Amino acid sequence: MIQPILYEIRLLGLLLLFSGIIGYFFNVLTPALVVGVTLYLLRNLYQLLFLFHYVITRKRTPSLTPIGFWEPIYNELERLHTRSRKRKRTLHRFTSRFREVSSVIPDALVLLNAAEEVVWANPAARHLLGISWPRDEGVALTKLVHYPDLDEYLTNADYSQPLEFPSPTNKTVVLSMRFTPFGGKKRQRLIVARDITKVFHLNLIRRDFVSNVSHELRTPLTVITGFLENLSDHELLPFQERPFELMNQQAARMNIIINDLLTLSRLEMENRITHPSPVPVPELLTTIVEQAKALANQKGGYQLEFEVDENLWLVGTENELQSALSNLVFNAIVHTPPKTKITISWKRDADNNACFTVTDTGPGIPQRHIPRLTERFYRVDKARSRQSGGTGLGLAIVKHSINRHEGNLSITSKEGFGSCFSCCFPDDMTLDANQLNPVKQKK
Ligand code: ADP
């Protein structure tokens, strides 16, 4: 850095010395010095013009050899040029790769800005969603995809569950649309829409199959139980008594399984409850607690504790909620030994959600079983559960019922310390009994 400056000082010094000597000899010292300085300035102006040309034309090499402090300036510019060219090449390579990859992805990808307008879309978005980029750039998503629930989905901005709907371009195709917020303040969104027609139909077939089989089994079972009832009116021979008792038990068990399967199929038909009405949860809990006490006494006595917010109601379907909440309470009695402490609470949590929690100090559930407990027929101990009359369908029914009420079931447990089953409903599914009109309160 010091070299170019020394060069410039030397150049200016030499020019002034040379013009000073000439001026001294010809007795025109001042004009000669002015000429010397002017020459130095003209030389720099000349260099500046070349620099201007070099920057504007973006040439790779300067058209004159820079000297003095012009040399490091040119060198720095050259370094910046090279770096920027490299970056451009990398960016270009990356953009073409991204275009190539996004064009072969079978799922539709759409980028939305904060105003929910299309910013970019890949080619698959054209045949799955009818969105073509760049044609539709800047157009609002709701103007391109006409689906009644889409507006509400975007307003709620709850993207935890994907939106499933028929493709706007082909009604026989079922799409699952997932929204992922990204960017500053997470106001932009990436949409991934996937063709789930096959999975959707397989699910329908499975649901219909289970429902049909359950219905079909019901008729022969009704006949069998009818005959068993008839037989119970007759005197049985001693060797017939035990088989008869077992037949009765198994028929009753089969009846429960069929009923549970039919309940599950019915719950699966719709993701949301269809005719919501105010549900007096504290009243439901009073009935559940009475039944729980009776069951607890039968099993040898439990320490039951309650904490109920008397004004906290829900909006939903009463019998579905009754069955879900009672299932959690009865499970705590059925799957724990006598004398266990069971705490039942119904109140708001810190986020104002309404939470129903059943905590027990029973043996707990090993961690590996917890994620699978809500699967159909999943039981930690099959033999014991069967003995206690369980079908393994209870928690699957609970989960579906709670989800249909926009709630969430969470299970925590620690072996040797007990379990906690909790279902929380969002504030907008709750009602304050104090604010209800008298007609509803009488319900
Ligand atoms: P079941 O008809 O067997 O009760 P569920 O679906 O209701 O079926 O429960 C699934 C399994 O979860 C039960 O078989 C049991 O092993 C376990 N479980 C449920 N609740 C509890 C609890 N409070 N304590 C320990 N295990 C439990």
Side-chain angles (χ1 to χ4, degrees):
M1 193 63 210
I2 200 82
Q3 281 302 341
I5 296 170
L6 285 178
Y7 176 89
E8 288 300 316
I9 294 171
R10 238 179 285 139
L11 181 68
L12 185 61
L14 276 175
L15 267 175
L16 289 176
L17 185 70
F18 185 67
S19 50
I21 292 170
I22 291 180
Y24 180 74
F25 279 115
F26 292 98
N27 209 14
V28 281
L29 185 62
T30 313
L33 286 175
V34 170
V35 169
V37 171
T38 313
L39 278 177
Y40 179 74
L41 287 178
L42 279 176
R43 174 251 180 195
N44 281 340
L45 189 65
Y46 179 70
Q47 289 275 8
L48 192 65
L49 282 175
F50 270 93
L51 178 68
F52 178 73
H53 184 250
Y54 173 68
V55 171
I56 294 299
T57 56
R58 296 188 182 185
K59 276 190 163 186
R60 273 169 189 264
T61 46
S63 35
L64 90 169
T65 317
I67 43 173
F69 59 46
W70 293 97
E71 196 185 341
I73 294 176
Y74 273 95
N75 287 348
E76 184 58 18
L77 278 174
E78 178 58 21
R79 199 182 61 80
L80 290 176
H81 262 183
T82 315
R83 202 164 73 181
S84 131
R85 271 195 297 270
K86 261 190 197 158
R87 275 195 185 158
K88 258 191 207 159
R89 268 202 304 271
T90 315
L91 195 66
H92 183 73
R93 257 203 317 269
F94 178 78
T95 316
S96 359
R97 261 288 156 84
F98 175 74
R99 287 238 172 99
E100 253 172 59
V101 171
S102 65
S103 67
V104 294
I105 289 178
D107 299 341
L109 304 177
V110 182
L111 288 188
L112 296 185
N113 61 17
E116 280 146 18
E117 293 160 350
V118 174
V119 174
W120 173 87
N122 72 343
R126 195 173 45 238
H127 64 264
L128 287 180
L129 292 166
I131 296 176
S132 176
W133 183 81
R135 187 196 67 191
D136 297 326
E137 193 170 338
V139 183
L141 178 71
T142 43
K143 287 208 175 110
L144 297 165
V145 179
H146 303 284
Y147 182 64
D149 291 351
L150 182 61
D151 266 339
E152 197 190 324
Y153 188 81
L154 289 171
T155 318
N156 291 345
D158 173 11
Y159 307 127
S160 52
Q161 293 296 321
L163 185 65
E164 288 179 8
F165 63 99
S167 160
T169 53
N170 179 355
K171 297 283 178 239
T172 59
V173 172
V174 183
L175 296 180
S176 161
M177 211 184 201
R178 215 168 238 296
F179 286 68
T180 313
F182 73 100
K185 294 189 186 166
K186 302 238 178 246
R187 293 185 64 205
Q188 299 172 63
R189 268 151 282 184
L190 167 69
I191 300 177
V192 182
R194 172 167 294 178
D195 179 349
I196 54 152
T197 318
K198 266 191 195 157
V199 180
F200 183 80
H201 285 301
L202 272 176
N203 242 334
L204 276 190
I205 293 168
R206 179 190 55 84
R207 201 183 64 195
D208 290 350
F209 175 78
V210 173
S211 167
N212 289 339
V213 167
S214 314
H215 273 295
E216 291 301 324
L217 285 176
R218 215 175 206 180
T219 319
L221 186 63
T222 316
V223 176
I224 292 171
T225 36
F227 280 120
L228 284 174
E229 263 170 38
N230 278 347
L231 276 176
S232 65
D233 297 337
H234 296 83
E235 190 81 13
L236 293 173
L237 296 171
F239 78 92
Q240 290 173 326
E241 272 170 12
R242 180 70 184 141
F244 180 74
E245 187 195 341
L246 282 178
M247 278 195 287
N248 258 327
Q249 267 175 14
Q250 293 307 317
R253 186 173 151 66
M254 206 160 158
N255 201 22
I256 296 172
I257 294 177
I258 289 173
N259 283 340
D260 278 359
L261 279 174
L262 285 171
T263 307
L264 251 181
S265 302
R266 192 175 40 75
L267 293 176
E268 276 184 326
M269 296 279 176
E270 291 278 344
N271 284 336
R272 297 261 175 275
I273 37 168
T274 37
H275 301 293
S277 57
V279 179
V281 180
E283 213 175 282
L284 286 192
L285 290 180
T286 312
T287 323
I288 293 173
V289 164
E290 272 167 25
Q291 294 165 348
K293 277 181 179 160
L295 183 64
N297 286 339
Q298 261 178 35
K299 269 202 74 189
Y302 284 75
Q303 298 174 53
L304 297 179
E305 285 184 7
F306 314 98
E307 191 185 348
V308 176
D309 178 344
E310 292 297 333
N311 293 316
L312 190 52
W313 285 30
L314 277 179
V315 181
T317 309
E318 188 161 330
N319 51 4
E320 248 178 64
L321 286 169
Q322 154 107 35
S323 129
L325 305 187
S326 61
N327 208 308
L328 295 180
V329 176
F330 300 156
N331 264 356
I333 299 172
V334 171
H335 298 293
T336 61
K339 308 286 176 255
T340 299
K341 181 174 165 189
I342 298 168
T343 314
I344 299 160
S345 88
W346 170 239
K347 57 182 182 184
R348 286 190 189 276
D349 68 2
D351 298 324
N352 225 23
N353 298 315
C355 292
F356 178 73
T357 311
V358 181
T359 317
D360 66 61
T361 56
I365 305 163
Q367 208 56 32
R368 65 181 186 282
H369 294 292
I370 292 180
R372 303 197 56 190
L373 286 182
T374 54
E375 285 175 21
R376 285 137 212 258
F377 297 112
Y378 192 86
R379 283 163 286 195
V380 176
D381 183 336
K382 272 201 164 129
R384 254 179 58 191
S385 164
R386 269 203 207 102
Q387 251 176 28
S388 56
T391 60
L393 290 167
L395 288 178
I397 294 176
V398 172
K399 187 181 161 193
H400 268 85
S401 305
I402 302 298
N403 288 351
R404 274 162 55 87
H405 287 79
E406 295 178 29
N408 221 355
L409 172 69
S410 67
I411 306 170
T412 49
S413 188
K414 200 167 174 203
E415 262 184 288
F417 290 90
S419 314
C420 175
F421 289 75
S422 176
C423 31
C424 290
F425 304 87
D427 185 32
D428 54 6
M429 292 299 284
T430 66
L431 288 173
D432 183 346
N434 289 322
Q435 284 161 15
L436 285 171
N437 64 44
V439 180
K440 279 178 183 166
Q441 288 230 31
K442 267 189 211 151
K443 206 177 135 29

